[in-house]
Amino acid sequence: MSEQGDRHTPGRGLINGLAVTLKTMTRRSGTQQYPDVEPELPPRSRGVIALLEENCTVCMLCARECPDWCIYIDSHKEEVVVPGAARARQRNVLDKFDIDFSLCMYCGICIEVCPFDALHWTPEFEYAETDVLNLLHDKNRLGDWMRTVPPPPAHDVLGEPSKEEATAARKAAGPGAPTPAQTARPAVRPEPKP
Amino acid sequence: MPLWLDLLVRVVAVVAAFLVVPLVVGQMEHKVMAHMQSRLGPMYAGGFHGWAQLVADGVKFVQKEDITPRDADRPVFRLAPLVALFPYLVVLLAIPLGPGGLVAQPMDVGLFFVLAVLGVGVVAVLMSAWASANKYSLLGGLRGAAQLLGYELPLVLSAASVAMAAGTLSLPGIVAAWSPWWLLWQAPAALVFFVSGLAEIRRPPFDMPIADSELVFGYMTEYTGLRFAFFLLAEYVGIVVIAALTTVLFLGGWHGPDPAHLGWLWTLAKVFAVSFVVIWLRVSYPRLREDQLQRLCWLVLVPVALAQLVLTAVVKLAL
Amino acid sequence: MTVADVLLLALGAVAVGSGAAVVTSDHLVRSGLYLVVSLGAMAGLYLVLGAELVAWVQVLVYVGAVVVLLLFAVMLTRAPIGPSPDLDRPAWPALIVGGGVGLGLAALLADAFRWTLYDRPEPGTTERMGTQIFGQWVLPFEVLSILLLSALVGAIVLSRPDIGARTGEEA
């Protein structure tokens, strides 16, 4: 096949070009009319980070893992007298938990490393400021974002059950039951739990 | 009706059409182009789907500073936008809207008048290009002059074909003589006229004199504010004029159901339909290269127009 | 004085004035633009005299094409903005030749018409023009077209060196 043979009839490209634009015109346009119409964000959009203060143990993992060093944490120790215990327990109390969203690059590592689920993604994104200093959200403001955290998505019915569930099931079944590793890819898919 | 009142009404009507129809076409371009590119275009100005966008643009242009470059030839530089705009205004005088003398100035040599006055536009291109004292402007202007001179030939030849067919140079006369089968008979001439008309008003894909990716903005580079707006307005009036001429010469003007009463409506509808095609072509096709442009003119359009002249003469003699 | 007379005088003044500006202006490109004005005023004169077709042909051919070509050529070669004092422009011979031609033509016209008044002919419609050209004046018309055609062919031959070279070898 020569190079000429691959060519179409002359003028076909012109017609095709016109057809493409005409077809596009009759379709709905892809424009998001954002301020007038709220965008339909996918679940788990990375809008802003919310803090559930009660869950935070001031382990500093998030602040240390943050690539931008944009999390600032201050705390002090408090003694908690537990009745019946030999001596008072020590507890970390959070004084300051700030995230500077002018530095944050929304990698989500802090949320990944948090061992106690104190940090959450929320899809809220309308927190632009006229002063860059106001992008430093303190722990109250981060706590306010908790209201906008969507409920966690349902478990994937085809996925591996969580470790807690698997352990509980194994304990209930008694000794000799298969371990989670053995049930990871069952021959017959388990019925979804209600 | 006294003569002066009659004259006043006609002039006011033409000026009103001159100011309104191009804006409608411009708004149509905004919206049609946007939707063809899967966008929405202006949505806010004026409330409903951004209908007042061009009015807002006009207000903005008026507010802008009117800058004349220091090295420019001031009088020529400042005069050029008016020279660009004026021919189109004059051409609108001769375009018939409906039967029974619904034309601002019935003229025995209307076709000739229109083509002659359109040819003056090239002077404005050269004036603005040279007076800007800018090499991009000059390059754009020279491209424009070469393009306009070249494409005037097929434009006049194809118009001559339809004048031969109608046996008159008067625009209302041509429309009156038109019959539907001319659509087929004069199709090559119509195509040549439309394409070279596009090139005459320097619309994409024939916008090499402007070519923003290579020449900044061609001969309009140095213009700001109201003078730039005049050039833009000239472009949109140009679309209207070319669409109206194509309508009148080749698409039968006011012919349609009930021409006596609705003739003006058919003319306007056809003008807007042709304007739509002008915009459609702009969205669909990339800009031609300078040598491709001249090849198209001299090796395709001119021979086709000459062949159409022969065909017209043969059919005319045979009938 | 009728309106037509006033218009004739005004347009004539514009034509002569801009014509003088063409030859006296120091600005090279502006001279060309003055020529546009001058030729436009001439077209206006034709219009006032009722020769509509001639007027628009004047605009189409001279303003729209010839002057534009002229300006185009000037801009391609040298087009400084501002005055060019080094223009080679012999004033006295030009004045003598121009004035002589003007006076001679004026004397000729005055001698030929001698203040006799002529009625203006009816406006030159396209139809009359056509019948005249293709009836009474068909021979000069066709001779002119042959002249133009040969000029066209000659221009093509001159601009294509490949054609010239081949004929040169044969000769």
Side-chain angles (χ1 to χ4, degrees):
Chain A
M1 188 67 84
S2 69
E3 203 177 304
Q4 289 290 318
D6 292 335
R7 298 231 176 122
H8 300 298
T9 44
R12 190 165 150 190
L14 297 179
I15 304 285
N16 281 348
L18 288 176
V20 165
T21 41
L22 197 65
K23 250 187 262 164
T24 312
M25 191 181 73
T26 53
R27 293 210 193 99
R28 279 194 77 77
S29 73
T31 306
Q32 297 259 329
Q33 291 179 278
Y34 156 58
D36 300 321
V37 181
E38 286 297 314
E40 282 181 26
L41 295 174
R44 307 171 75 174
S45 292
R46 299 181 169 199
V48 67
I49 295 166
L51 170 72
L52 187 60
E53 208 184 321
E54 294 81 47
N55 280 5
C56 182
T57 61
V58 202
C59 65
M60 305 291 279
L61 277 177
C62 50
R64 266 190 274 162
E65 292 296 329
C66 177
D68 292 342
W69 294 79
C70 69
I71 303 179
Y72 311 108
I73 300 177
D74 271 345
S75 66
H76 66 273
K77 289 203 162 129
E78 238 174 37
E79 299 225 317
V80 184
V81 180
V82 182
R87 55 189 173 118
R89 300 269 169 87
Q90 279 198 326
R91 188 167 75 98
N92 286 327
V93 179
L94 197 58
D95 291 331
K96 181 174 110 172
F97 192 105
D98 294 351
I99 298 181
D100 190 347
F101 283 105
S102 63
L103 293 179
C104 176
M105 65 181 195
Y106 301 89
C107 63
I109 288 177
C110 51
I111 295 164
E112 293 297 323
V113 299
C114 182
F116 299 106
D117 278 352
L119 295 172
H120 301 269
W121 277 122
T122 110
E124 282 299 312
F125 58 94
E126 292 171 308
Y127 53 95
E129 300 281 354
T130 49
D131 187 349
V132 72
L133 295 179
N134 294 337
L135 279 173
L136 184 75
H137 290 195
D138 62 9
K139 71 178 183 199
N140 292 329
R141 192 144 177 221
L142 290 172
D144 279 348
W145 291 122
M146 273 311 290
R147 285 183 287 106
T148 61
V149 174
H155 285 298
D156 185 353
V157 292
L158 304 181
E160 193 181 330
S162 69
K163 290 222 166 59
E164 293 87 345
E165 282 177 314
T167 315
R170 203 181 61 226
K171 279 184 178 161
T179 58
Q182 289 161 323
T183 56
R185 287 212 185 103
V188 181
R189 284 174 178 160
E191 284 298 307
K193 295 187 175 64
Chain B
M1 196 152 38
L3 183 69
W4 65 270
L5 189 63
D6 183 61
L7 203 65
L8 190 73
V9 167
R10 284 167 189 271
V11 168
V12 166
V14 167
V15 170
F18 178 72
L19 291 178
V20 172
V21 182
L23 287 193
V24 175
V25 171
Q27 184 68 19
M28 188 163 96
E29 170 161 48
H30 269 150
K31 295 307 266 189
V32 167
M33 191 157 81
H35 282 279
M36 281 183 170
Q37 295 167 342
S38 194
R39 297 184 289 120
L40 286 173
M43 289 297 284
Y44 285 100
F48 179 75
H49 284 263
W51 65 270
Q53 182 61 47
L54 286 175
V55 180
D57 282 351
V59 172
K60 182 193 75 177
F61 279 128
V62 170
Q63 290 169 339
K64 288 206 168 186
E65 186 185 357
D66 181 19
I67 299 172
T68 308
R70 193 185 56 212
D71 291 339
D73 192 325
R74 281 184 80 85
V76 179
F77 182 84
R78 300 170 80 88
L79 195 63
L82 297 177
V83 179
L85 201 53
F86 190 65
Y88 294 122
L89 175 63
V90 176
V91 164
L92 281 186
L93 280 173
I95 290 175
L97 201 54
L102 194 53
V103 49
Q105 178 59 47
M107 246 180 291
D108 184 45
V109 288
L111 182 60
F112 230 93
F113 163 76
V114 164
L115 293 175
V117 174
L118 275 184
V120 175
V122 61
V123 176
V125 173
L126 280 176
M127 279 169 77
S128 56
W130 172 74
S132 293
N134 178 326
K135 55 178 174 289
Y136 295 113
S137 294
L138 191 59
L139 278 172
L142 290 181
R143 281 187 181 190
Q147 174 176 338
L148 263 64
L149 279 179
Y151 277 85
E152 203 158 291
L153 196 59
L155 192 80
V156 173
L157 284 176
S158 51
S161 158
V162 81
M164 259 169 75
T168 173
L169 283 176
S170 143
L171 290 178
I174 288 174
V175 184
W178 188 85
S179 59
W181 75 279
W182 285 26
L183 279 180
L184 205 64
W185 178 27
Q186 299 292 339
L191 220 62
V192 170
F193 185 86
F194 182 65
V195 171
S196 45
L198 274 184
E200 281 284 310
I201 54 174
R202 305 171 288 281
R203 283 286 296 179
F206 300 107
D207 60 337
M208 282 65 101
I210 298 166
D212 50 333
S213 48
E214 6 182 330
L215 294 182
V216 190
F217 217 54
Y219 55 92
M220 293 189 253
T221 302
E222 296 288 354
Y223 282 90
T224 52
L226 207 53
R227 287 174 210 284
F228 181 69
F230 278 165
F231 272 118
L232 279 191
L233 185 61
E235 179 174 343
Y236 289 118
V237 187
I239 299 177
V240 174
V241 164
I242 291 299
L245 282 180
T246 311
T247 303
V248 166
L249 293 180
F250 297 101
L251 301 180
W254 63 70
H255 287 282
D258 194 14
H261 297 103
L262 293 177
W264 60 274
L265 190 66
W266 297 124
T267 308
L268 274 184
K270 287 172 187 175
V271 167
F272 281 119
V274 178
S275 307
F276 173 79
V277 175
V278 172
I279 297 164
W280 190 11
L281 291 176
R282 172 187 177 171
V283 182
S284 302
Y285 296 144
R287 179 184 308 130
L288 268 74
R289 219 168 46 217
E290 190 62 24
D291 60 320
Q292 292 170 334
L293 172 91
Q294 297 293 349
R295 282 186 81 82
L296 176 69
C297 175
W298 294 103
L299 297 184
V300 179
L301 294 183
V302 171
V304 169
L306 287 173
Q308 170 74 59
L309 270 181
V310 174
L311 176 73
T312 308
V314 166
V315 174
K316 190 80 180 164
L317 285 179
L319 286 179
Chain C
M1 286 241 294
T2 59
V3 179
D5 289 337
V6 175
L7 276 176
L8 270 183
L9 278 178
L11 285 169
V14 170
V16 171
S18 50
V22 172
V23 289
T24 54
S25 170
D26 275 345
H27 297 64
L28 208 55
V29 176
R30 274 197 208 171
S31 286
L33 296 175
Y34 283 128
L35 195 57
V36 171
V37 177
S38 182
L39 292 171
M42 295 276 287
L45 285 177
Y46 291 139
L47 264 187
V48 174
L49 290 174
E52 232 183 320
L53 192 72
V54 183
W56 299 126
V57 168
Q58 166 97 0
V59 173
L60 181 71
V61 174
Y62 284 95
V63 176
V66 171
V67 180
V68 168
L69 212 59
L70 202 121
L71 285 174
F72 189 73
V74 168
M75 287 183 190
L76 270 182
T77 51
R78 184 180 71 150
I81 288 179
S84 316
D86 57 335
L87 289 181
D88 182 20
R89 189 181 268 161
W92 281 108
L95 198 66
I96 291 169
V97 171
V101 170
L103 277 180
L105 276 177
L108 195 69
L109 285 176
D111 184 56
F113 291 99
R114 300 216 178 249
W115 306 117
T116 40
L117 290 176
Y118 290 89
D119 288 334
R120 266 204 315 186
E122 49 187 303
T125 60
T126 325
E127 199 178 343
R128 241 186 68 202
M129 196 90 172
T131 40
Q132 293 255 318
I133 286 181
F134 291 101
Q136 204 172 348
W137 302 98
V138 67
L139 194 64
F141 182 77
E142 293 302 331
V143 169
L144 269 182
S145 14
I146 289 173
L147 177 70
L148 287 176
L149 185 66
S150 54
L152 199 65
V153 173
I156 293 173
V157 169
L158 282 180
S159 65
R160 284 191 56 179
D162 50 334
I163 302 178
R166 202 173 60 227
T167 48
E169 280 165 15
E170 283 165 7

